[in-house]
Amino acid sequence: MSPIVKRKRESFRIPSKYLLLLLTTVCIFMMAFTFLTDMSTAPLNKVVSYVVVPFQDGISRIGSWIFQRVDELGELRLVLEENQELRKQIDELTIENTQLQQDKYELNNLRELFALDAEYSGYEKIGARVIARESGNWFHVFTLDKGSEDGLAIDMNVIAGGGLVGRIVDIGPNWAQVNAIINDNSNVSGMVLASSDNLIVSGSLELMGQGLISFKQLIDSKDAVKIGDKVVTSNISDKFLPGILIGYINDVEQDSNNITKSGTLTPAVDFEHLEEVLVILELKQQIED
């Protein structure tokens, strides 16, 4: 038997040019039909309202949300940039404010020194800055940034703030060491300005914890010395020039011998904060000669 051969069915295909022509004709027909008739578009509008409008609304919402996020990101970037700029300005203002406070502090110190210079105008003086001090809470021994090359010499008196600080005890070409009147080994011959009674002012670092220094050998037979009286350097002092303010009487007590009195003084100088001082360029021996 001969095999049966099945013939492949040929598929029906419309040429593309005829298909395009057909679709164009349908479109023209629908356009003409819509234009020339009064056919209601309500069903089409209804379909659009149920299908297209929600889709458009969703797209619009998403677009609005994306636009808002992009806008917020832009604003956030601007805020971060402004914040960084403000931080920079704050740092600059902080530095400037610190410098202004420092300048104000130095100006006040210079004003005090200027007033002190005017008060002791009879003496030739030179300004110096404190550059070092011995350990402790007080400027009982400290170093200045001027020395023999600037005309300084041992035993020259040093003043600051309200009065006497101490005297130079060691010196180099460009430095000088000062021993303050509050130091334990310091003794100054003083005088109560109101009564002209003499006494000895002795340094005491222990008493300086209370802001005081001691005095002794006060002869006050008339009980004329009062709390608050000024004490200045005496004219019989061998190291200190006369008339320089030391401090103020804080308290007075009768000694056991019933002849002399002792007590404490409040120093005229703030020995906790010393930065600039004045050095009197004269020696007691020179004045006596």
Side-chain angles (χ1 to χ4, degrees):
M1 293 181 65
S2 60
I4 300 174
V5 179
K6 292 185 178 181
R7 299 180 64 183
K8 187 178 179 181
R9 293 185 61 182
E10 296 180 359
S11 60
F12 177 74
R13 297 180 62 186
I14 300 176
S16 58
K17 61 180 181 179
Y18 294 118
L19 181 60
L20 179 60
L21 180 60
L22 178 61
L23 292 175
T24 303
T25 304
V26 171
C27 289
I28 293 173
F29 173 76
M30 292 299 294
M31 292 172 61
F33 179 78
T34 303
F35 181 74
L36 297 174
T37 62
D38 295 332
M39 180 179 174
S40 175
T41 59
L44 183 60
N45 292 336
K46 193 172 184 179
V47 172
V48 171
S49 66
Y50 280 109
V51 179
V52 179
V53 172
F55 180 74
Q56 289 179 338
D57 185 59
I59 295 297
S60 177
R61 289 177 181 272
I62 293 173
S64 298
W65 183 84
I66 293 175
F67 178 78
Q68 290 177 358
R69 299 292 85 78
V70 171
D71 190 50
E72 288 175 358
L73 287 175
E75 292 179 356
L76 180 60
R77 189 181 299 109
L78 290 176
V79 169
L80 290 176
E81 291 176 356
E82 291 177 357
N83 186 50
Q84 186 176 2
E85 184 65 25
L86 288 174
R87 286 180 179 275
K88 182 179 178 182
Q89 292 180 7
I90 289 173
D91 291 340
E92 292 175 352
L93 289 174
T94 301
I95 295 173
E96 183 179 352
N97 185 51
T98 303
Q99 185 62 45
L100 288 174
Q101 289 180 348
Q102 181 67 25
D103 292 344
K104 180 181 178 181
Y105 180 73
E106 291 181 358
L107 179 61
N108 290 335
N109 288 342
L110 292 175
R111 283 175 175 171
E112 289 181 356
L113 290 179
F114 181 78
L116 194 64
D117 180 55
E119 184 174 353
Y120 298 99
S121 58
Y123 299 126
E124 182 183 358
K125 297 172 287 293
I126 185 173
R129 185 179 294 272
V130 178
I131 56 174
R133 73 172 185 180
E134 289 195 359
S135 60
N137 297 328
W138 315 101
F139 285 82
H140 59 286
V141 177
F142 56 90
T143 305
L144 303 179
D145 64 348
K146 288 184 172 59
S148 57
E149 293 180 351
D150 303 288
L152 274 58
I154 291 178
D155 285 338
M156 282 185 173
N157 296 181
V158 179
I159 59 177
L164 183 65
V165 174
R167 64 185 180 89
I168 295 175
V169 293
D170 197 5
I171 197 167
N174 56 0
W175 60 271
Q177 189 176 68
V178 178
N179 188 50
I181 61 172
I182 63 171
N183 207 7
D184 292 330
N185 60 4
S186 174
N187 289 287
V188 182
S189 178
M191 179 184 70
V192 180
L193 193 61
S195 63
S196 298
D197 293 319
N198 292 321
L199 48 78
I200 300 297
V201 178
S202 301
S204 173
L205 292 179
E206 183 179 356
L207 272 178
M208 274 306 297
Q210 306 172 35
L212 302 171
I213 52 177
S214 64
F215 71 86
K216 57 187 177 181
Q217 298 181 18
L218 169 65
I219 299 177
D220 180 28
S221 56
K222 297 181 180 180
D223 293 328
V225 176
K226 307 297 181 184
I227 293 176
D229 282 351
K230 290 183 178 181
V231 175
V232 299
T233 51
S234 169
N235 57 351
I236 61 175
S237 174
D238 59 342
K239 300 293 184 182
F240 294 96
L241 300 168
I244 302 175
L245 180 64
I246 300 174
Y248 305 87
I249 298 289
N250 180 70
D251 64 73
V252 183
E253 293 182 357
Q254 187 75 47
D255 293 334
S256 57
N257 58 19
N258 291 323
I259 298 176
T260 61
K261 294 181 179 180
S262 59
T264 59
L265 298 177
T266 301
V269 176
D270 180 6
F271 286 95
E272 191 175 2
H273 307 94
L274 277 178
E275 291 189 4
E276 294 89 11
V277 299
L278 292 176
V279 180
I280 299 177
L281 300 177
E282 297 181 30
L283 294 170
K284 181 64 179 291
Q285 292 82 356
Q286 291 176 339
I287 291 179
E288 288 179 349
D289 292 342

